[in-house]
Amino acid sequence: MRVQMLGLCRFSYLGLRGYQVEHDSIAARRAYLYDPDRLARRWLWFTTVALPGWLAQTDPDFTLVIMTGPDLPQPWLGRLQELCDRVPQLQLSLVPPMDYHLQACRAAVAPHVDPVAEVIGHFRHDDDDAVALDYVAATRRDFASVQELWRPEGRLSLDYGRGLMIEARGGKLRITPRICHNMGVALTVFLKPEIPDTALHYNHTQLARWMPGVQISRPLMFIRSIHGDSDSGDMGPGLPWDPEEGAMKRLLRLRFGLARGDLVDLARQLHEAPAGGGTGGGAGGAG
């Protein structure tokens, strides 16, 4: 069975709906999202935390659509274009502001649906989060084990619940291991190809309303970032878990291709950067 892994990452997409931080006009939202200091911080998160895992997936058979507006300021638009030109799995989608956010998400993703796929594994990814290096491979493997649950309705969610919450506040880094339910990152929604939805069409906290779901609590599969530009500024519900003593550096390196020192430097850089741009509304959020 041909399963396409198809994701959507919103990078400061200029839309009025779909985020917890709201604005009254396109002009107000453009000023907020395109603030130069804010965009510099978003780029730091994207390149330091989110990107390494996608560039080193053990299964390279996936597509991640990076959605932004055609008027995203330079140099950020040029940097995204250069990145997507260089990495075949990354596809840049320039979507003008639309009345309804889900229509915009569909417009971004639809051109990239594989016409011969029998199942589409839709996922959302925020530009400041990370998935493990084997997320795509594990998702495809584990879906094969539970695909009979998918067949009756053509809808199924597969959630990896073990992750790390990283907080960057006051120039300091804090890492909290958590097991969460349908956090949104490392969560895949499997749909029949004829269903014209994306992962964003389903509120990840209410997936049971629309489909059966499976959660896998091992191995460690995601990082979720919490900081001043986050769309949601708290961890949400979850359970603690305890890595072996002294194992955090190894886990970051082996599971995500990240160095703890780089995350510490990121927290420091964000604290020292200009404070313009306000708080709230990230890339997914909005990016």
Side-chain angles (χ1 to χ4, degrees):
M1 180 179 291
R2 167 61 180 157
V3 178
Q4 182 190 17
M5 290 293 291
L6 179 59
L8 178 63
C9 175
R10 300 168 293 172
F11 188 89
S12 291
Y13 171 67
L14 182 58
L16 284 179
R17 297 176 175 86
Y19 314 109
Q20 295 186 37
V21 178
E22 298 182 352
H23 296 86
D24 295 331
S25 68
I26 285 287
R29 187 144 191 89
R30 180 180 284 110
Y32 167 74
L33 287 177
Y34 292 174
D35 174 88
D37 296 334
R38 180 187 178 279
L39 285 173
R41 295 193 299 271
R42 300 310 308 187
W43 189 255
L44 274 175
W45 278 108
F46 180 56
T47 54
T48 304
V49 177
L51 194 54
W54 293 117
L55 297 182
Q57 283 294 303
T58 59
D59 181 348
D61 184 11
F62 70 92
T63 298
L64 179 63
V65 178
I66 300 178
M67 172 185 177
T68 192
D71 63 343
L72 181 73
Q74 298 292 356
W76 320 111
L77 182 57
R79 291 180 180 181
L80 284 177
Q81 186 65 68
E82 186 278 331
L83 174 65
C84 293
D85 288 345
R86 177 167 50 89
V87 182
Q89 291 87 355
L90 305 182
Q91 298 292 319
L92 185 61
S93 182
L94 304 181
V95 181
M98 299 178 68
D99 288 339
Y100 296 98
H101 187 71
L102 294 182
Q103 289 181 350
C105 293
R106 182 179 288 122
V109 168
H112 303 283
V113 172
D114 183 347
V116 301
E118 299 169 83
V119 186
I120 311 295
H122 291 275
F123 58 93
R124 59 189 292 171
H125 191 78
D126 292 357
D127 67 359
D128 53 359
D129 292 341
V131 293
L133 304 181
D134 60 348
Y135 162 68
V136 172
T139 300
R140 185 171 276 119
R141 178 198 66 220
D142 291 335
F143 174 73
S145 298
V146 298
Q147 61 182 308
E148 294 307 315
L149 295 174
W150 169 83
R151 290 185 186 279
E153 300 180 31
R155 290 180 172 89
L156 177 73
S157 66
L158 178 63
D159 174 45
Y160 292 105
R162 186 173 298 254
L164 301 173
M165 303 293 187
I166 62 173
E167 296 178 82
R169 301 188 191 277
K172 303 296 184 181
L173 177 75
R174 180 185 178 190
I175 303 177
T176 305
R178 299 275 281 185
I179 297 174
C180 308
H181 180 64
N182 288 351
M183 178 56 63
V185 58
L187 169 65
T188 309
V189 174
F190 292 94
L191 301 176
K192 291 182 177 179
E194 59 267 26
I195 298 177
D197 293 342
T198 71
L200 274 296
H201 281 74
Y202 303 93
N203 184 326
H204 61 89
T205 68
Q206 302 177 26
L207 278 172
R209 296 176 57 189
W210 300 289
M211 65 191 73
V214 174
Q215 183 177 67
I216 299 174
S217 61
R218 288 182 178 81
L220 170 62
M221 196 63 81
F222 73 84
I223 289 175
R224 178 171 178 260
S225 300
I226 302 171
H227 50 90
D229 289 313
S230 297
D231 198 41
S232 177
D234 58 56
M235 294 187 195
L239 301 170
W241 66 278
D242 296 317
E244 295 179 10
E245 186 174 354
M248 188 58 70
K249 288 184 179 180
R250 178 174 55 84
L251 287 172
L252 288 169
R253 182 181 70 256
L254 295 180
R255 296 301 296 153
F256 303 101
L258 300 176
R260 192 180 191 282
D262 291 340
L263 299 180
V264 171
D265 289 344
L266 173 63
R268 176 184 52 78
Q269 291 179 65
L270 293 169
H271 183 63
E272 295 174 353
T279 60

